[in-house]
Amino acid sequence: MLSSVFFYLFAGICCLAGLMVVSSRNPVHSVLFLILAFFNAAGLFILLNAEFLAMLLVVVYVGAVAVLFLFVVMMLDINYSELREGFQKYRSLGLLIGAVLLVELFATFFEYSGNVKSLPSPGAVHNTKALGQVIYTDYIYLFQLAGLILLVAMIGAIALTLRKRSGVRKQVIADQNSRTRAETVKLAKVETGAGVKEAS
Amino acid sequence: MEFSQITISAALPEFILISLALVMVLIAAFAKQTETDGEGSIKLVRTLSLLGYFAAFLALFSVPDGRIVLFNELFAVNDLVIYMKGLILVGAFFASWLVSEQWGEGVDRPEFHLLVLMAVIGMLLMVSANNLISLYMALELQSLPLYVVAAMRTSSLKSSEAGLKYFLLGALSSGLLLYGASLVYGFSGSTNFEAIASSLSGGASVGMIVGMVFLLSGLAFKISAAPFHMWTPDVYEGAPTPVTALFAIVPKVAGMTLLMNVTYSAFGNITDQWMQILIALSVASMIVGATGAIMQQNIKRMLAYSSIAHMGYALAGLAAGTSEGASAVVIYMTTYVFMGAAAFGVIMTMRREGTPVEKISDLAGLSASHPLLAAAMMVVMFSMAGIPPLAGFFGKWYVFLAAVNAGLIPLAVIGVLTSVIGAFYYLRIIRLMYFEDSDAPLDDGASHQNRMILIISVGFILLFFFGIGTLSQEAVSIVSVYF
């Protein structure tokens, strides 16, 4: 009973937030609604006993992807009115695809008989623990491979974007800190009316 | 999982290269990046990676014979895989050896050799894949560094374009492959190749075949078989020349081996279904490769089309679906690696007043100014065109023989016809070198390693004649694991 209350709460907010993502005029608001949708989807996962997926959704999608979206939206100078014109242009195609998806969804809904094979029962262990039991033993090879791929991604991103430009005056803190007083300060006695000779 | 002696020795080449890569990350990070000291660190990294390829090659001899399955059945080695790993390491050694420290074009950085090493690790793991998940992960480990090195010349718009194109189309092909893999998993209930094969013993369902088509399309992209070849000419032209050499020599071998693994071990029970796909890929590649190269002015673009055609010929052997065809592919890929190394050995000596040139017309009059280089290029071009008794002839001979014996006579006829068309542009280069004059000859002085590579690979092409008997017997015995 309580779980179905929460299901309708999460699912309802999720749908509303999804609607707001595409309909809100301000792109920053869209991203914020997207984050709301992610949170509610995570709640749905928890109702399904998939707490690891819920955590993953929050950490990866809210923590990384949505923040990246926010950065892109706020830092890139995109003309949204032009984008909306494109939206009008492809509206018929979009409606067609949407209709196909809707028909598919209804077809699935009416075909659903309720006696499909249920999810495998989680058993005594939580799925985070169950994952932990195999990821470092049975699937250590894939785990290490994923690590190598991430290392490559990091090296590749740095190798492509880090470049040394000549003629740029960079601040070298170590050099500044190691300067002595004698190198930098010069006391000069200035005679009246003579001015200071130019610094050497 | 037990971590026994067998685990160590069967995956020893990979262990060596991965440890070396991690050491090289530290060297690249902490080495001084200034103008003068930077050269020292890149020299060190390059030498280390060459030593690594050599050590991994030696380590292949310690892998026990027969079929070994490791890491929860995710990783498998057999005789064919070991042979192909050897070929990949030889190709990678050539490709890294060709790059001198002074080449420039953005590849004069320690990260270049590091990324190439990572890609080679990915290729070695890829040919050992025994599961759809390990296949995909190894494929990504191989592709990601290659996207980066294609765009390594940050000052050049063409290089960035090459990197971007390669990345976008590569991501698309990964999507196709993953979609296919998910369908195959859904209809067979497992991602393991043996389990997929046993689920197919009673024939395949439609969903399974759709999945296989997507899977094979994704793999066809990786070996640039037509109609998934669109990226090849642009990427070959835009990438720095040493990177093009790498692309032309190594990843094709790994992709072809993976294709053999997937078709013969996972889909070995439904040969008739994938044969049609491979025949279509083969015919399209041979035609596109032969006709596309004719109009090219840039030698790298020309070799891109030539490599598409070569993949078409190799696929013809694979499409035969017999042990004879598989052994023909092994022979073909062996000759392909050496021909590629020799061709790029010549191209990378082409300089005029210090800057690299890459137009085909720049080769005019090469026989007068550089007789030995011209002779080497002539041998390579004759071999690629398939003139006996050079290596390329035997590669084609075995492939077409296998196709004819498998009853694919139209395929063999198209193959021979496209080789005739292909001979036109290979011979055009020879005509340019020998019968035309040039007012601005190319620079003298091929580097030491270029000369060594040319001696080794051209020697291989010329003397292949003597070794073909042994190699063909060996090839038949190593592919016997699948039949």
Side-chain angles (χ1 to χ4, degrees), chain A residues 137-153 155-164, chain B residues 1 18 22 25 33 71-72 74-75 109 111 114-115 118 125 133-134 137-138 140-141 144-145 148 151-152 154:
Chain A
T137 52
D138 288 354
Y139 297 106
I140 182 68
Y141 172 71
L142 297 176
F143 187 73
Q144 295 283 345
L145 213 52
L148 275 183
I149 292 174
L150 290 178
L151 181 66
V152 165
I155 296 169
I158 295 173
L160 281 184
T161 50
L162 183 73
R163 63 184 87 177
K164 283 181 289 296
Chain B
M1 187 187 64
I18 291 173
L22 297 179
V25 173
Q33 298 269 342
F71 303 121
N72 198 25
L74 292 162
F75 179 94
R109 284 192 286 170
E111 288 86 1
L114 177 58
L115 287 167
M118 289 285 200
L125 296 174
I133 306 176
S134 54
M137 305 259 302
E140 286 301 295
L141 181 60
L144 276 175
V148 178
M152 203 83 174
T154 39

Side-chain angles (χ1 to χ4, degrees), chain B residues 56-348:
Chain B
F57 187 78
L58 291 182
L60 280 175
F61 291 100
S62 77
V63 179
D65 286 339
R67 191 181 145 77
I68 301 165
V69 182
L70 292 177
F71 303 121
N72 198 25
E73 302 193 341
L74 292 162
F75 179 94
V77 283
N78 56 38
D79 291 353
L80 173 74
V81 164
I82 294 171
Y83 180 84
M84 287 308 207
K85 279 184 180 175
L87 209 53
I88 290 169
L89 287 168
V90 168
F93 188 88
F94 280 150
S96 297
W97 205 17
L98 271 172
V99 195
S100 64
E101 295 88 48
Q102 292 85 27
W103 181 266
E105 287 197 337
V107 301
D108 50 349
R109 284 192 286 170
E111 288 86 1
F112 170 73
H113 293 282
L114 177 58
L115 287 167
V116 170
L117 181 65
M118 289 285 200
V120 172
I121 294 169
M123 290 172 213
L124 296 187
L125 296 174
M126 192 166 112
V127 297
S128 274
N130 192 40
N131 188 307
L132 291 175
I133 306 176
S134 54
L135 179 159
Y136 175 70
M137 305 259 302
L139 199 68
E140 286 301 295
L141 181 60
Q142 176 250 14
S143 314
L144 276 175
L146 294 185
Y147 303 146
V148 178
V149 290
M152 203 83 174
R153 184 165 43 156
T154 39
S155 57
S156 148
L157 212 56
K158 270 202 167 151
S159 177
S160 306
E161 182 204 344
L164 191 65
K165 253 187 192 155
Y166 194 23
F167 174 69
L168 288 178
L169 291 174
L172 181 72
S173 82
S174 291
L176 288 180
L177 189 131
L178 271 182
Y179 182 57
S182 71
L183 281 177
V184 169
Y185 171 58
F187 281 91
S188 69
S190 176
T191 53
N192 185 278
F193 285 179
E194 279 95 61
I196 293 172
S198 63
S199 81
L200 287 172
S201 51
S205 59
V206 177
M208 189 73 183
I209 292 171
V210 172
M212 187 184 71
V213 172
F214 274 106
L215 195 65
L216 294 185
S217 311
L219 291 179
F221 176 91
K222 300 293 174 193
I223 58 167
S224 72
F228 304 101
H229 66 283
M230 301 303 183
W231 56 276
T232 323
D234 292 336
V235 172
Y236 273 44
E237 187 192 357
T241 310
V243 176
T244 314
L246 177 79
F247 282 172
I249 302 171
V250 205
K252 304 287 169 68
V253 181
M256 196 50 93
T257 316
L258 185 60
L259 204 56
M260 273 170 101
N261 253 336
V262 170
T263 49
Y264 287 124
S265 74
F267 298 113
N269 287 326
I270 48 166
T271 314
D272 292 342
Q273 268 79 15
W274 55 253
M275 254 172 87
Q276 302 164 6
I277 305 169
L278 292 191
I279 290 171
L281 286 175
S282 169
V283 170
S285 307
M286 290 190 291
I287 293 175
V288 165
T291 50
I294 293 175
M295 296 303 288
Q296 299 306 324
Q297 301 301 319
N298 183 305
I299 193 153
K300 282 155 79 181
R301 277 186 92 86
M302 194 210 91
L303 281 174
Y305 280 104
S306 149
S307 85
I308 295 170
H310 281 305
M311 287 302 114
Y313 300 130
L315 280 171
L318 201 55
T322 56
S323 108
E324 201 188 357
S327 64
V329 177
V330 172
I331 297 170
Y332 201 96
M333 294 321 287
T334 312
T335 61
Y336 177 79
V337 165
F338 285 91
M339 290 192 295
F344 277 91
V346 174
I347 291 171
M348 287 179 62

